[in-house]
Each structure stands twice: as C-alpha cells, then as structure tokens.
Amino acid sequence: MLDPTPIPPDKFWNLTGTAWTAISSLVAAASVLVLIAFNWRFLRSAHEQGNAAREQAEIAKTSLETLQKQILEEQQLQRHAALAVIQNISTQIEFWRGHSKMEFRSTENRVCLLPEDWNALASYVSRHVPNLVGKTKVASWDLREAENHLNHVLRTPFGHRAPNSSFQVIMDSLLQRLDQARATFDILERELLS
C-alpha cells in the first residue's frame, strides 16, 4: 500500500478555505448586527416622528374644532343681525301702513323703509341662503317703491287727501306695495328661522 501523501490545503493569503469561511461568517454576522442597529435607530426615529405627527394632528384637530365653533358663532350672529333687519322692516311696514294717512312730512324729512343695515341681511342671504337672493332683490325693490309712494303720500297736504282724489290711487298703491314687501319679508323670516 502506498503511503498517501498529504495534499497541502488550498491557501489564499496564507489562510485556508475553512478560515475564509469563518471570516465570511463573521463578516455576515457583523453586517447583520450593523443592519439591526441601523434598523433599530431608523424605527426609533420613525416612531418619534409618528408621535410628533400625531401631536401635530391633535393640535390641528383642536384648532379646526375651535375655528368651526367660531365660524358657527359668527354665522349665528350674522343670522340674528339679518333677522333683526327683517323684524325692523316689518315693524316699519306695520307702523306706516296704519300711520300713512295721519301724518304730514316735508320734503326734507323723508321716511326710509330700507334700513342702513340692509347689507347685513343681503350678505347673509347671499352667503347662506342663495335660493333667496332673488326674493331679497324683489323685497328691496318693493321697499324702495313703497318708500317712494309713502313719501309722496306724506308730502300731500291733508286737504288734498280726499277719498275720491288721485291721492286714493297713490294710497292704494302704497298699501299694495307694503303688503307685497311684508309678504316677502315673512317668507325670508321663515326661511332664516328654519
């Protein structure tokens, strides 16, 4: 039998294949450890960012709720202002419907049925009840016409207010305009109250 001659192991840089396998295993284990450490730091940072984003979302939610409350309060104030304008006009219409025959005024002392705060009503209706914009315009027109008739009636001296004169036609037209305006404002008021 022949004596086997030992085969020298393969070597690279004076290291055997088994040594290189061990080195590659150590490098792989070290890279896994580095990757675990990196991922842990990344997940920790992502968790902290998530918590910060959650806190910001809560702050934004609270701010939004506060803003919504303010908007609702502002809308309620505008609605009340619009209703106050309607009620003021309705009161004026009722007053002048009964007093137009009994009062005399000069040209300088005009009656204004369309109040100065009319824009509060018009802007509220245009923003919150757009289907009533047309009725608001009609009501404005009726008030202006009734105002013109009323001022014409109030400038007419009592002696010219006989029942069979042209004054009666003007008076009937005035009362008709006042009734039309009142009906329109009743509709507007019902819509704003609902």
Side-chain angles (χ1 to χ4, degrees):
M1 233 161 125
L2 287 177
D3 194 19
T5 45
I7 300 175
D10 286 339
K11 289 188 175 184
F12 182 71
W13 280 348
N14 242 358
L15 295 173
T16 64
T18 308
W20 281 110
T21 303
I23 289 172
S24 69
S25 296
L26 286 174
V27 168
S31 65
V32 167
L33 289 175
V34 168
L35 187 59
I36 288 172
F38 175 77
N39 284 342
W40 177 79
R41 293 279 298 169
F42 177 76
L43 289 174
R44 184 174 172 201
S45 173
H47 181 70
E48 289 172 355
Q49 288 176 354
N51 286 341
R54 198 173 304 116
E55 288 175 13
Q56 287 177 343
E58 286 297 321
I59 291 170
K61 181 182 174 185
T62 304
S63 297
L64 180 62
E65 288 170 353
T66 303
L67 183 60
Q68 286 174 333
K69 285 178 186 175
Q70 289 174 345
I71 289 171
L72 286 175
E73 288 173 2
E74 181 66 27
Q75 285 177 349
Q76 286 299 321
L77 286 173
Q78 291 172 357
R79 182 175 168 260
H80 288 300
L83 285 169
V85 170
I86 290 174
Q87 291 165 353
N88 178 29
I89 291 171
S90 295
T91 302
Q92 288 291 322
I93 288 172
E94 287 303 312
F95 176 82
W96 287 110
R97 197 171 197 302
H99 287 83
S100 58
K101 292 182 182 179
M102 300 180 281
E103 192 165 332
F104 177 78
R105 289 189 172 207
S106 64
T107 307
E108 297 84 30
N109 193 8
R110 292 181 47 86
V111 173
C112 293
L113 292 178
L114 200 64
E116 290 179 14
D117 53 356
W118 173 258
N119 289 336
L121 172 65
S123 66
Y124 180 81
V125 167
S126 68
R127 279 189 257 137
H128 303 291
V129 199
N131 60 325
L132 293 179
V133 169
K135 287 209 179 292
T136 307
K137 288 180 182 177
V138 168
S140 172
W141 173 258
D142 284 341
L143 272 181
R144 282 290 181 211
E145 287 298 309
E147 189 177 284
N148 288 335
H149 287 304
L150 179 62
N151 284 306
H152 183 73
V153 166
L154 294 179
R155 284 193 312 263
T156 304
F158 287 112
H160 297 110
R161 294 185 187 187
N164 296 330
S165 68
S166 61
F167 171 79
Q168 189 61 41
V169 174
I170 296 169
M171 192 66 192
D172 291 342
S173 178
L174 167 64
L175 295 178
Q176 182 183 2
R177 284 286 183 186
L178 289 174
D179 289 341
Q180 285 174 343
R182 177 59 190 222
T184 305
F185 283 110
D186 285 345
I187 292 169
L188 287 171
E189 187 173 16
R190 274 196 307 275
E191 287 289 325
L192 292 183
L193 288 173
S194 61

